[in-house]
Amino acid sequence: MAELTQNPRMTAKVALDLIKTPWTLIVVILAAVAILDPGNLPEVVTFAAKALAHTGQYILFAVLLLSYLKATGAEVMVARAFEGRETRMIFLAALFGGLAPFCSCEVIPFIAGLLALGAPLSAVMAFWLSSPLIDPPTLLITAGALGWPFAIGKAVAAVALGLFGGFAVRLLMRKGAFAQPLREYKPSGCCGCGPKTDTKPVWTFWQESERRARFRSEFVHNGLFLLKWLALAYVLEALLVNYIPADLIAGVVGGEGVLPIVVAALVGMPAYLNSYVAPPLLAGLMEQGMTAGAAMSFMVAGAVSSIPAMAAVWSLVKPHVFATYLTLGVGGAIVAGIIFQLV
């Protein structure tokens, strides 16, 4: 009897999960175009398909690289960046933040573990600010959608923001701030991960069956993840290019000066989707008149201050640490946009 009562609930949950997937949203969007504007459907589909095919080579390389990093256990190298002198830790944390092969779920327990083990908040903040901005898959996808100058600029902005945040927090700590940053630390995380420094990466992972299985699992999981989100991103970009007037975009985030960059950062905070959807959408916005500086500001602010990221930070650290994180992230986004616009 229990199984009979549970099965309908399980079926409803599976159906709800399916409805919330990007694939379902893609079908709904294309169906709406087919009904409301059937003559434009081929153009929307062709635009999205060509863009996805162009980025396919970057997706394949990014998935292979990320699967390799996971299978070898390369994340232990990140934990070792938090050993030694504080200045050295800040530099390494900002650098490794852009290379860490962590999912968004893994970052929070990793950072919580570092703080609980006594790692200085300055180094942790450097990693925390740079990590959401760039990683190998995001770098390649950004290059495919917006070009290598933009991708490299974002990578530089990630490291620079990490360094700026790390040394700013270090200065505040010397004045007595942030003595106890954590609300409360519970070692079990959503991925069951934490900082590990007592193991070494196994670069020749194919010699171990367990690591080969990890590689296959990561390849399939990340490949499907990137494919579905990029497919949705390019469908949305097609809608943006076809239906949103260029002068409307240009009027909000176009033109010279600092104001469009500030507006883009403030809009990017709540509107940001994720690091894989943003580059194609920004490519469409830039075609419509968005400046390069505003695009950079939007991307940086969104990655650091997206609602999921802010919720995770709020649940982990005390309010004054949260406020510092948010201020550094949004302020750094505006500065990054101004500098990128000038360059």
Side-chain angles (χ1 to χ4, degrees), residues 114-122 125 169-183 317-322 324:
L114 287 169
L115 289 173
L117 291 174
L121 180 62
S122 57
M125 184 66 74
V169 169
R170 181 187 182 186
L171 179 63
L172 292 172
M173 289 176 65
R174 289 185 172 181
K175 295 183 178 181
F178 312 127
Q180 296 178 342
L182 286 173
R183 288 178 182 266
V317 297
K318 293 183 177 179
H320 61 286
V321 180
F322 172 83
T324 303

Side-chain angles (χ1 to χ4, degrees), residues 8-26:
R9 296 177 183 176
M10 293 176 63
T11 303
K13 183 179 184 301
V14 171
L16 183 60
D17 291 340
L18 181 62
I19 290 173
K20 294 190 293 185
T21 63
W23 297 121
T24 305
L25 188 55
I26 291 170

